[in-house]
Amino acid sequence: DRIYGVLRDLNERYGKTIIVIEHHTEYIADFCKHVMLLKEGRVQWMLPTGEALQRVEELQSCNIFPPQVTLAAWRMRQAGSLTVPRLPATISEGREVFVPRADPASAPRPAVPAQGETVASFQDVSVAYRSVKGEPHKVFDGLSLAIHKGDKVALIGSNGAGKSTLMKLMVGLLKPNSGTVSLFEEAIGDKKAEDLSRQISLVYQNPEEMFIKDSIRADIAYAMEVRNVPEWEKRTAELLERFRLSELADRDGRLMSGGQMRRASLAIGVALNPGILLLDEPTANLDIATRREIMAVLDDMKDIIQTAVIATHDMQLVCQWAERIIVLCNGQVVADGARDEIFARDDVVKQVGIRPPEIFQMGKALDERAFCYTIDEFVQGFERVK
């Protein structure tokens, strides 16, 4: 948000021409004056932003998704419940189009799963990194936290809040300065590396760091083969099939597309059937269509993942996938609960800089009682128009 504010200032105050490549169309709607669509190396058109974002079907055919406010209005128009000639593209425009039903919050909310056995715990953990100058940089100071079997956790917070550090502690890549990190009621420091790798797996933010062989097939098979896992060849073939990688099996993972690399890194991560799967920014640096693909893969993996923790800035992923949200700020857990509980707390949203999905903000702008995380939920609660 701050970056786009600076760009707007450069444009409006200093007369600079700004050209941005942007997949998040809500930023295009808020900040850009014109849109140029490129397709197959050609300029399809260049139009004023308001006109460009009306072309919902054409944009979606190019894997470009208009703002959620626009998509909601388009869905209503397709269903015959909205007759406005121009679709809204921003929240302010949406205020002039939508009105709530009698009780937009009346839809049943998903229950928070009951707590299972504790599979990972942090007991009074402190971690500090050495600094070039001055005192060591303290990341955690007396952190206590428990992850339970069956949890689907989204770990959120601004850069530097400690998300990646927490994951590295769980897999033994970092050791705490004090306190204890335990997996399945045994301190990580007391575990053998081989036992640890069967219990927990970390999929890195940069998937190319997961590739050590010259083919995806070899990368997926590696951990199973060196541990003499029974029928590892069959399991490798099954994972290739499940993650739609069979036709790419002999390709070097580092030479594949972003989405293909993400799918391959997930296959590597689950190869040993770990009890806990950690994912560091699984949708980072992906276009919207590929993000949706990865979200679908994660949803499809629910039957093979017992417990999962995802560190992410992607609020759409948080809202659609997570059952528990842990919010970190300055090395402390400042909130821990279901999505309604977290997003209802304005103090946490402001403190951490959480940007809820646009459709959630649209619902709140119309009725404070509304908790709409998807376009489907919004359409159910705000179908009538002014």
Side-chain angles (χ1 to χ4, degrees):
D1 288 350
R2 286 198 292 264
I3 288 170
Y4 267 99
V6 170
L7 294 177
R8 172 177 278 168
D9 190 54
L10 289 172
N11 174 253
E12 295 180 354
R13 185 188 300 187
Y14 299 101
K16 302 296 183 183
T17 300
I18 309 293
I19 300 174
V20 297
I21 300 170
E22 181 58 78
H23 293 286
H24 296 271
T25 50
E26 64 269 23
Y27 282 110
I28 294 174
D30 280 338
F31 291 94
C32 298
K33 297 174 182 175
H34 294 84
V35 176
M36 179 187 292
L37 177 66
L38 297 179
K39 185 177 182 181
E40 298 176 356
R42 295 174 177 268
V43 175
Q44 289 288 101
W45 41 254
M46 181 171 174
L47 298 169
T49 298
E51 183 180 343
L53 295 178
Q54 300 296 306
R55 301 191 171 201
V56 173
E57 294 181 61
E58 182 180 5
L59 291 172
Q60 289 189 124
S61 71
C62 298
N63 284 325
I64 300 164
F65 299 92
Q68 289 183 313
V69 170
T70 306
L71 288 173
W74 179 74
R75 288 261 301 272
M76 292 179 185
R77 193 162 70 181
Q78 295 292 102
S81 61
L82 187 147
T83 57
V84 293
R86 186 180 181 85
L87 300 173
T90 64
I91 290 174
S92 62
E93 292 176 4
R95 287 177 182 270
E96 303 302 317
V97 173
F98 306 116
V99 295
R101 289 186 173 184
D103 184 6
S106 60
R109 312 307 303 176
V112 178
Q115 291 185 357
E117 66 178 280
T118 298
V119 295
S121 66
F122 297 78
Q123 298 172 319
D124 200 25
V125 169
S126 296
V127 177
Y129 292 113
R130 291 180 180 178
S131 300
V132 177
K133 295 181 180 180
E135 295 294 318
H137 172 64
K138 191 169 289 186
V139 181
F140 294 127
D141 186 9
L143 174 72
S144 293
L145 180 67
I147 306 295
H148 306 102
K149 185 176 181 179
D151 276 354
K152 300 292 185 291
V153 178
L155 193 63
I156 67 175
S158 58
N159 290 331
K163 302 186 297 296
S164 295
T165 298
L166 186 139
M167 289 187 163
K168 290 176 181 177
L169 287 166
M170 291 177 72
V171 295
L173 289 175
L174 284 178
K175 293 183 179 180
N177 299 106
S178 61
T180 305
V181 181
S182 300
L183 285 183
F184 301 98
E185 300 185 347
E186 183 182 0
I188 285 179
D190 298 334
K191 291 179 178 288
K192 295 180 180 178
E194 182 175 343
D195 294 336
L196 190 62
S197 66
R198 290 178 180 271
Q199 293 178 340
I200 190 167
S201 179
L202 170 62
V203 177
Y204 297 122
Q205 178 175 345
N206 299 315
E208 58 270 21
E209 295 177 14
M210 303 285 290
F211 308 138
I212 58 176
K213 297 292 186 177
D214 58 4
S215 74
I216 289 301
R217 187 196 311 276
D219 279 319
I220 295 173
Y222 177 75
M224 296 184 286
E225 184 178 1
V226 298
R227 288 169 176 78
N228 296 314
V229 173
E231 298 186 320
W232 60 265
E233 298 99 331
K234 179 181 177 182
R235 168 105 174 129
T236 299
E238 290 173 348
L239 288 169
L240 287 166
E241 179 70 24
R242 174 155 198 156
F243 289 90
R244 294 186 291 109
L245 295 165
S246 297
E247 295 182 2
L248 305 169
D250 296 319
R251 290 272 300 276
D252 188 318
R254 287 154 290 217
L255 302 178
M256 299 195 304
S257 71
Q260 292 166 345
M261 284 198 290
R262 295 286 181 187
R263 296 204 308 271
S265 66
L266 289 171
I268 295 168
V270 302
L272 292 176
N273 277 324
I276 305 171
L277 182 65
L278 308 179
L279 303 170
D280 194 359
E281 294 283 0
T283 59
N285 304 318
L286 299 176
D287 61 41
I288 304 299
T290 308
R291 282 171 59 208
R292 289 189 171 195
E293 179 186 14
I294 296 304
M295 288 166 66
V297 170
L298 292 174
D299 192 60
D300 184 55
M301 288 170 58
K302 284 186 176 180
D303 64 322
I304 59 173
I305 302 175
Q306 293 180 16
T307 307
V309 180
I310 294 180
T312 184
H313 293 286
D314 186 342
M315 289 302 111
Q316 201 60 51
L317 172 59
V318 171
C319 291
Q320 292 185 213
W321 178 86
E323 296 169 352
R324 177 185 175 191
I325 302 172
I326 297 173
V327 186
L328 290 177
C329 184
N330 296 324
Q332 298 292 326
V333 175
V334 296
D336 183 352
R339 62 186 187 183
D340 281 7
E341 179 184 347
I342 300 302
F343 287 107
R345 290 186 55 181
D346 290 338
D347 59 326
V348 172
V349 170
K350 292 176 182 177
Q351 179 185 10
V352 183
I354 298 172
R355 184 187 176 97
E358 184 185 53
I359 205 67
F360 180 90
Q361 297 179 72
M362 184 72 258
K364 283 291 184 185
L366 296 166
D367 191 314
E368 277 296 320
R369 299 169 297 169
F371 285 84
C372 303
Y373 299 97
T374 65
I375 294 172
D376 286 340
E377 291 177 351
F378 181 86
V379 168
Q380 291 171 12
F382 296 88
E383 198 166 11
R384 293 184 292 123
V385 298
K386 291 182 178 177

